[in-house]
Amino acid sequence: MKKSILLVTLLAAMTSTAAFANNQVVNQGAQPQQQGFSGPTHGINTVKGVVEAGMFSDDTPVTLTGYLTSSLGGEHYTFTDGSGTMTVEIDHDKWFGLQATPNTKITIQGEIDKELNHTQIDVDHVRLAQ
């Protein structure tokens, strides 16, 4: 009786360990899914809207969809969305593995950075446009 209980327990442990290990192998090859909300946004969503936002718009959240047309050096780029062109700052850690060219349509999320002599977007996240 004790041997059969021990045998059943041992078989159950081996089966669950194999199933767990198999699940880990499958999950290692899976691509991570985008997290968070994906849907319509309210607020400023065009370069023209950013330019027209006024002097009290500093730190206002924005979501813009368009293209990076050129690198200005360092972490600064020229961004266009058809309504206008603006400088955006994208820190190296905000790319999240994405590689973009002037033909890659992207969506950037960030805040307006309004200074006395210029306005730009500080980007928090870059992703491929849907």
Side-chain angles (χ1 to χ4, degrees), residues 23-82:
N23 189 32
Q24 292 301 312
V25 170
V26 170
N27 287 339
Q28 285 179 358
Q31 294 294 324
Q33 293 184 357
Q34 181 179 349
Q35 298 179 0
F37 179 74
S38 179
T41 59
H42 295 282
I44 299 174
N45 59 8
T46 64
V47 170
K48 183 179 178 184
V50 171
V51 172
E52 294 175 348
M55 59 190 271
F56 297 109
S57 62
D58 193 40
D59 296 328
T60 300
V62 298
T63 301
L64 308 174
T65 300
Y67 303 89
L68 295 175
T69 57
S70 64
S71 171
L72 301 173
E75 299 174 333
H76 292 87
Y77 304 88
T78 302
F79 177 87
T80 186
D81 68 353

Side-chain angles (χ1 to χ4, degrees), residues 96-118:
F96 300 103
L98 178 68
Q99 293 185 356
T101 70
N103 297 319
T104 307
K105 190 173 187 178
I106 60 171
T107 297
I108 58 174
Q109 293 175 301
E111 303 87 33
I112 297 174
D113 181 16
K114 194 163 244 341
E115 303 291 333
L116 290 175
N117 58 352
H118 75 280

